[in-house]
């Protein structure tokens, strides 16, 4: 099968400091709740802890059910890695559509206001060659998708900033138990 | 967080014990939910449902006894 690959750079801005945006960026489990218009379910399959203890995980394997066109359920598999401070790498593949995205997601302090953060995503998309005429539409859909998610994430960041001001310390932590842990526990018995 | 259900004023913490999201009340279903990660508790029970984590910090949502005095003032039991 022949494939077509193209690159997209997506830029969004948050009105919150980089450490708060970084918390939100590492958390994937909020996707089906905070972004329920575009995602309907998320499963954490396997998690490798961060040996430094500075991040809630180092590598995560996940399965996510996206809503294509806002209603069509499409399930993808992905691997996500915290590659460094303020940098995440992610690969996601949809086996049905044979579409693959490779993402390098970075955060930078905004130059004009260091209390704001620029989110820059470098995305490489690989699709079957038949999708080549849809490249412009796929690019526009990706831009729209990340812009909407960034806007929705601002409520998360606003609340985290508010808690910080009130001196309430509830650090970022994984919410669910990875499926692998349950499988492994079952096999042990 | 104060809300009205089944003819009674009720009160619970508005802070999710996981990461502090502002909890939401669904009086029709009788549940308190977290809009970030889906944590759910039945109103009145304070036990968190639908949550596989064994971490004791996440297993309860603080709910308060509410009383009203003769002047209509609402008193929360700490």
């Amino acid at each position: 099968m022949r494939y077509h690959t193209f690159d997209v750079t997506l830029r969004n801005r948050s009105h919150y400091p980089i450490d708060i945006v970084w918390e939100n960026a590492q958390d994937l489990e909020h996707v089906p709740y905070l972004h329920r218009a575009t995602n309907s379910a998320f499963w954490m399959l396997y998690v490798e802890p961060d040996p430094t203890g500075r991040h809630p995980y180092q590598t995560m394997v996940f399965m996510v059910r996206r809503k294509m066109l806002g209603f069509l359920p499409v399930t993808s598999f992905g691997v996500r890695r915290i590659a460094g401070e303020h940098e995440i790498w992610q690969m996601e593949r949809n086996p049905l559509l044979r579409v693959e995205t490779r993402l390098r997601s970075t955060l930078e302090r905004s130059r004009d206001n260091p209390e704001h953060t620029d989110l820059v995503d470098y995305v490489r998309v690989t699709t079957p060659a038949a999708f080549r005429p849809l490249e412009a539409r796929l690019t526009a859909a990706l831009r729209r998708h990340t812009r909407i998610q960034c806007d929705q994430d601002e409520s998360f960041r606003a609340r985290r900033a508010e808690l910080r001001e009130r001196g309430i310390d509830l650090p970022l932590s994984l919410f669910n138990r990875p499926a692998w842990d349950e499988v492994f526990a079952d096999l042990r018995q | 967080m104060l809300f009205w259900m089944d003819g009674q004023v009720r009160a619970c913490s508005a802070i999710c014990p996981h990461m502090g999201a502002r909890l939401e009340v669904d009086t029709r279903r009788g549940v308190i939910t977290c809009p970030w990660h889906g944590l759910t508790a039945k109103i009145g029970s304070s036990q968190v449902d639908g949550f596989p984590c064994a971490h004791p910090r996440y297993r309860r949502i603080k709910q308060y006894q509410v009383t009203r005095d003769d002047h209509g003032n609402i008193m929360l039991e700490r």
Side-chain angles (χ1 to χ4, degrees):
Chain A
M1 187 177 207
R2 293 179 62 210
Y3 287 90
H4 170 60
T5 297
F6 59 96
D7 293 339
V8 187
T9 302
L10 307 162
R11 292 177 192 275
N12 289 284
R13 177 162 293 184
S14 166
H15 296 95
Y16 291 93
I18 198 164
D19 49 341
I20 286 182
V21 179
W22 179 231
E23 282 184 340
N24 175 258
Q26 292 173 89
D27 182 10
L28 256 194
E29 293 173 283
H30 71 262
V31 158
Y33 297 97
L34 211 51
H35 308 305
R36 62 172 69 102
T38 43
N39 301 273
S40 56
F42 176 84
W43 298 269
M44 202 158 57
L45 302 179
Y46 174 75
V47 166
E48 217 162 75
D50 174 23
T52 68
R54 284 186 301 152
H55 308 297
Y57 58 91
Q58 186 187 58
T59 305
M60 178 191 288
V61 181
F62 63 88
M63 184 165 80
V64 62
R65 193 182 297 138
R66 310 267 188 209
K67 288 183 192 170
M68 218 169 71
L69 307 171
F71 68 95
L72 200 64
V74 174
T75 303
S76 299
F77 295 85
V79 182
R80 183 181 182 85
R81 169 168 276 218
I82 297 176
E85 208 57 33
H86 308 147
E87 182 165 334
I88 288 173
W89 296 348
Q90 182 172 305
M91 193 273 277
E92 189 175 319
R93 183 172 174 81
N94 182 286
L96 185 70
L97 300 173
R98 298 184 183 187
V99 173
E100 187 179 289
T101 54
R102 295 174 191 197
L103 164 75
R104 183 175 154 242
S105 184
T106 64
L107 303 181
E108 298 163 7
R109 281 183 182 85
S110 297
R111 283 189 188 158
D112 44 341
N113 186 342
E115 286 301 301
H116 293 177
T117 306
D118 289 332
L119 298 87
V120 188
D121 295 332
Y122 304 94
V123 191
R124 174 158 291 177
V125 184
T126 303
T127 69
F131 290 2
R132 181 191 286 266
L134 299 176
E135 181 181 322
R137 283 193 177 195
L138 287 171
T139 302
L142 270 174
R143 284 195 201 289
R144 188 171 162 272
H145 182 82
T146 54
R147 197 184 61 242
I148 290 171
Q149 289 208 351
C150 186
D151 289 347
Q152 291 169 338
D153 282 334
E154 286 291 81
S155 66
F156 183 112
R157 296 164 191 144
R159 177 66 166 174
R160 293 292 288 173
E162 180 202 326
L163 292 171
R164 214 170 269 201
E165 276 173 20
R166 291 166 62 183
I168 298 171
D169 180 33
L170 293 168
L172 169 66
S173 59
L174 294 179
F175 183 67
N176 292 294
R177 186 184 295 165
W180 173 258
D181 290 4
E182 284 173 24
V183 171
F184 198 65
D186 287 348
L187 292 174
R188 266 188 179 155
Q189 285 172 4
Chain B
M1 174 164 59
L2 285 172
F3 55 98
W4 190 266
M5 197 178 102
D6 299 334
Q8 278 185 314
V9 179
R10 294 168 182 262
C12 73
S13 166
I15 300 173
C16 178
H18 174 222
M19 278 179 66
R22 198 183 307 277
L23 293 169
E24 293 172 352
V25 173
D26 183 340
T27 50
R28 263 198 332 184
R29 287 169 54 217
V31 293
I32 299 163
T33 56
C34 169
W36 289 354
H37 299 101
L39 178 144
T40 309
K42 284 196 184 94
I43 293 171
S45 80
S46 91
Q47 283 288 332
V48 170
D49 293 335
F51 182 48
C53 181
H55 197 298
R57 202 178 65 186
Y58 303 153
R59 297 199 71 84
R60 276 180 186 278
I61 291 175
K62 214 181 270 181
Q63 297 193 43
Y64 301 92
Q65 287 284 94
V66 179
T67 52
R68 293 174 80 181
D69 67 14
D70 296 341
H71 304 288
N73 295 317
I74 294 167
M75 322 285 274
L76 298 189
E77 195 177 281
R78 295 197 74 167

